[in-house]
């Protein structure tokens, strides 16, 4: 059997390529064995840092963590009780002179002029501690929001919540109605809105 011409040269090239490949593989394995362990730790640390950042970004923003690693809910503040409507108030938290009793009285909330029948929603969730008639504020809803915070809505009608009910933010409480017992600016329908922390009425 005759071999084709040039087979010796082809075999030599094949053997040379095989030797070069084995040499490169041996060199790479030797460098891998000699790599300092500290570099491997740094690489793992980078991966852990990225993973930790991802978990932090996706975490619950309502939770906080102190130096001891204890998690707790963020405290409620006045910023959690925005204005219930987008109109300028007729009156704020202030002392005013009442012609009915001929004396100065304390006005504990804000009065917003609204058309009769306007729907009023809760600015903060909580437990309804009162829902009914009030001699001064007409139909009133009071909500305990926790941590000593409570909200009062007066001047309502057609109440949609009941005492003892647990409601969420933006729950419909009722509609604006006219209440003849209003003291002061009482020639128009309005929402009376109070925010309390303990025994202190909160102003904007």
């Amino acid at each position: 059997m005759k071999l084709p011409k040039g087979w010796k040269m082809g075999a030599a090239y094949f053997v040379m390529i095989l030797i070069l490949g084995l040499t490169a593989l041996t060199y790479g394995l030797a460098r891998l064995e000699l790599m300092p362990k500290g570099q491997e730790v740094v690489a793992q640390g980078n991966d852990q840092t990225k993973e930790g950042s991802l978990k932090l970004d996706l975490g619950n923003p309502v939770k906080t963590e102190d130096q001891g690693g204890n998690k707790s809910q963020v405290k409620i503040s006045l910023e959690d009780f925005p204005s219930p409507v987008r109109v300028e108030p007729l009156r704020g938290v202030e002392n005013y002179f009442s012609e009915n009793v001929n004396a100065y009285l304390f006005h504990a909330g804000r009065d917003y002029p609204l058309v009769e029948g306007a729907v009023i929603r809760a600015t903060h969730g909580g437990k309804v501690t009162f829902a009914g008639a009030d001699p001064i504020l007409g139909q009133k809803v009071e909500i305990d929001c926790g941590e000593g915070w409570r909200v009062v809505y007066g001047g309502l009608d057609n109440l949609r919540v009941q005492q003892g009910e647990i409601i969420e933010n933006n729950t419909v409480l009722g509609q604006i109605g006219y209440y003849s017992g209003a003291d002061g600016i009482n020639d128009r329908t309005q929402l009376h809105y109070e925010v309390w922390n303990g025994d202190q009425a909160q102003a904007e």
Side-chain angles (χ1 to χ4, degrees):
M1 178 178 178
K2 288 185 178 182
L3 295 174
K5 293 181 180 180
W7 70 272
K8 292 183 179 180
M9 184 176 295
Y13 279 130
F14 176 77
V15 172
M16 185 180 298
I17 293 174
L18 183 60
I19 293 173
L20 290 175
L22 291 174
T23 303
L25 180 60
T26 303
Y27 178 75
L29 291 174
R31 284 185 57 85
L32 183 61
E33 292 178 357
L34 294 175
M35 181 181 295
K37 294 184 178 180
Q39 294 183 18
E40 297 178 0
V41 173
V42 171
Q44 293 176 1
N46 290 338
D47 291 340
Q48 290 175 354
T49 301
K50 292 179 181 178
E51 183 181 359
S53 298
L54 181 61
K55 290 182 179 178
L56 180 61
D57 293 340
L58 297 179
N60 189 345
V62 179
K63 299 286 187 179
T64 59
E65 185 171 328
D66 58 22
Q67 295 180 352
N70 299 318
K71 293 183 179 180
S72 61
Q73 294 285 345
V74 174
K75 295 292 185 180
I76 300 176
S77 68
L78 184 58
E79 296 178 355
D80 297 310
F81 300 91
S83 174
V85 292
R86 297 181 179 179
V87 296
E88 290 295 323
L90 297 170
R91 174 186 291 156
V93 179
E94 60 186 8
N95 292 314
Y96 73 99
F97 184 79
S98 171
E99 296 180 354
N100 293 341
V101 297
N102 195 30
Y104 280 94
L105 300 176
F106 177 65
H107 190 254
R110 299 187 292 275
D111 294 334
Y112 296 95
L114 294 172
V115 297
E116 187 174 0
V119 175
I120 301 301
R121 298 176 179 270
T123 58
H124 199 287
K127 182 178 181 179
V128 179
T129 56
F130 182 87
D134 182 271
I136 298 178
L137 299 179
Q139 293 293 317
K140 181 183 79 170
V141 173
E142 184 171 341
I143 302 172
D144 181 358
C145 303
E147 299 181 14
W149 291 87
R150 57 189 176 92
V151 187
V152 177
Y153 303 80
L156 302 180
D157 198 3
N158 299 325
L159 299 184
R160 308 289 179 84
V161 294
Q162 298 178 350
Q163 183 173 336
E165 185 177 351
I166 304 297
I167 65 169
E168 298 180 353
N169 182 29
N170 211 36
T171 297
V172 175
L173 303 177
Q175 296 173 272
I176 290 297
Y178 182 80
Y179 55 106
S180 58
D183 189 13
I185 307 173
N186 58 3
D187 58 346
R188 67 186 74 181
T189 55
Q190 57 192 273
L191 169 68
H192 179 80
Y193 179 70
E194 300 177 6
V195 178
W196 291 81
N197 186 13
D199 58 355
Q200 297 291 323
Q202 304 294 302
E204 290 182 327

